[in-house]
Amino acid sequence: MKAGYSMKTRLATVLGLTRARRWALALSIAAILPLTPRAVDAQRGGAGVGPPSTAAEQEDARLPNGKLQRDEILKAEHEQNLKDAAQLVELSEQLKEELEKNDRYVVSMSTVKKTDDIEKLVRKIRSRLRHN
C-alpha cells in the first residue's frame, strides 16, 4: 500500500466511487435517516416502536373491573409471598427435624434437597420484594 493511500480511498476505488458519488451517497443517506420510524419517534419524544407509554400511564392502567392493575399485581405478589413464607417455615422445620435425627457425619440426600428448595423459595421471595 502506498503512503497516504487510506483504506477509505482504496475502498472507494474498488467500488468505483468518485468523490462526487461518495458525497451524493452520504447526502442521500443523511436525507433518508430522519424518515425512519425510530428517528421520527425520537423526534416526537418516544422511546421505541409502538404507542408511547410513560410511568404515569402504566400506573393508571385499569382492569375491566375498574381496579388499578398495579394494585392487583402487588396484592397477588403479597399473597404469593405469604404462601411461600409459610412453605419456607414448613421446610425449615422439616430440615431441623432431619438434622436432629441424622448422625453428625452423615447427611441424607433428601436433607440436601430440602436446603436447595429453601434457597429457591428465598430467591423467589427476594425477587418479588425487590420488584416492588
Side-chain angles (χ1 to χ4, degrees):
M1 196 180 273
K2 295 182 198 174
Y5 195 63
S6 72
M7 184 62 80
K8 190 190 281 187
T9 308
R10 184 170 183 221
L11 180 64
T13 305
V14 169
L15 293 176
L17 297 176
T18 63
R19 184 177 294 230
R21 285 188 180 170
R22 282 194 311 243
W23 274 104
L25 180 63
L27 288 174
S28 63
I29 290 173
I32 292 173
L33 280 179
L35 301 177
T36 62
R38 287 183 185 254
V40 171
D41 198 33
Q43 288 176 352
R44 291 182 185 163
V49 180
S53 63
T54 62
E57 287 178 1
Q58 289 176 353
E59 193 166 316
D60 292 340
R62 296 204 177 261
L63 297 174
N65 61 5
K67 296 182 180 180
L68 288 176
Q69 181 179 10
R70 175 102 175 125
D71 291 343
E72 291 300 309
I73 291 171
L74 291 174
K75 183 179 176 183
E77 286 179 351
H78 178 71
E79 290 173 1
Q80 189 62 44
N81 284 339
L82 291 175
K83 288 178 187 176
D84 286 347
Q87 187 178 1
L88 183 62
V89 169
E90 182 181 326
L91 281 173
S92 63
E93 287 174 354
Q94 291 173 3
L95 178 65
K96 181 183 175 196
E97 290 171 5
E98 286 184 18
L99 288 174
E100 289 172 347
K101 189 168 49 167
N102 291 334
D103 188 22
R104 63 180 173 183
Y105 298 111
V106 179
V107 179
S108 68
M109 287 304 294
S110 66
T111 304
V112 175
K113 172 106 170 68
K114 277 199 188 356
T115 60
D116 291 339
D117 293 342
I118 289 171
E119 281 185 67
K120 287 177 188 176
L121 272 174
V122 169
R123 283 189 201 126
K124 283 182 185 179
I125 293 170
R126 184 185 308 134
S127 70
R128 272 192 234 109
L129 291 175
R130 286 184 178 171
H131 174 70
N132 293 333

